[in-house]
Amino acid sequence: MFPILFRTEFGFVYTFTVVWLLALLTCVLIVWWQDKTFKHWDHLLAAAVGALLLGRVQCVLQYGEWFAEYPAERWNIFQGGHGYSGSLLGAMLGLVVI
């Protein structure tokens, strides 16, 4: 995938961001299509936020030497860099907290 999909007057639109948002929208549509009376959207939102945050924390800890040289990139979650196990743990914690 190309890292930069296109440029707007506000900045770049990254391919990772577009693919991530399309996947998230597809998942929401599948959940809504299967059960039109679904009432637990806040649980799904908490799981998504937890997955993003802890997935990024795992990536920053795993590649700490690179992020020590580029500290401004640590919390730029929209350019990728999420660990699988951190995302899974964050999603589970997000579901438990709510």
Side-chain angles (χ1 to χ4, degrees):
M1 266 193 285
F2 295 110
I4 298 173
L5 193 59
F6 58 90
R7 182 182 180 149
T8 66
E9 61 186 49
F10 303 109
F12 297 111
V13 175
Y14 296 97
T15 306
F16 172 80
T17 306
V18 172
V19 170
W20 183 78
L21 288 175
L22 286 175
L24 188 62
L25 181 63
T26 303
C27 291
V28 167
L29 286 174
I30 288 171
V31 168
W32 178 77
W33 187 264
Q34 289 181 353
D35 185 11
K36 304 250 192 304
T37 61
F38 187 73
K39 303 274 190 243
H40 302 289
W41 296 107
D42 52 343
H43 297 278
L44 290 178
L45 183 62
V49 169
L52 278 175
L53 291 178
L54 282 182
R56 186 61 179 186
V57 166
Q58 179 199 353
C59 181
V60 169
L61 291 175
Q62 187 173 357
Y63 300 107
E65 63 279 351
W66 189 86
F67 286 107
E69 294 180 21
Y70 303 100
E73 298 292 324
R74 284 185 185 144
W75 303 112
N76 196 356
I77 63 172
F78 296 111
Q79 288 186 349
H82 294 85
Y84 173 75
S85 56
S87 296
L88 186 62
L89 179 65
M92 295 296 188
L93 287 176
L95 286 173
V96 169
V97 168
I98 289 286

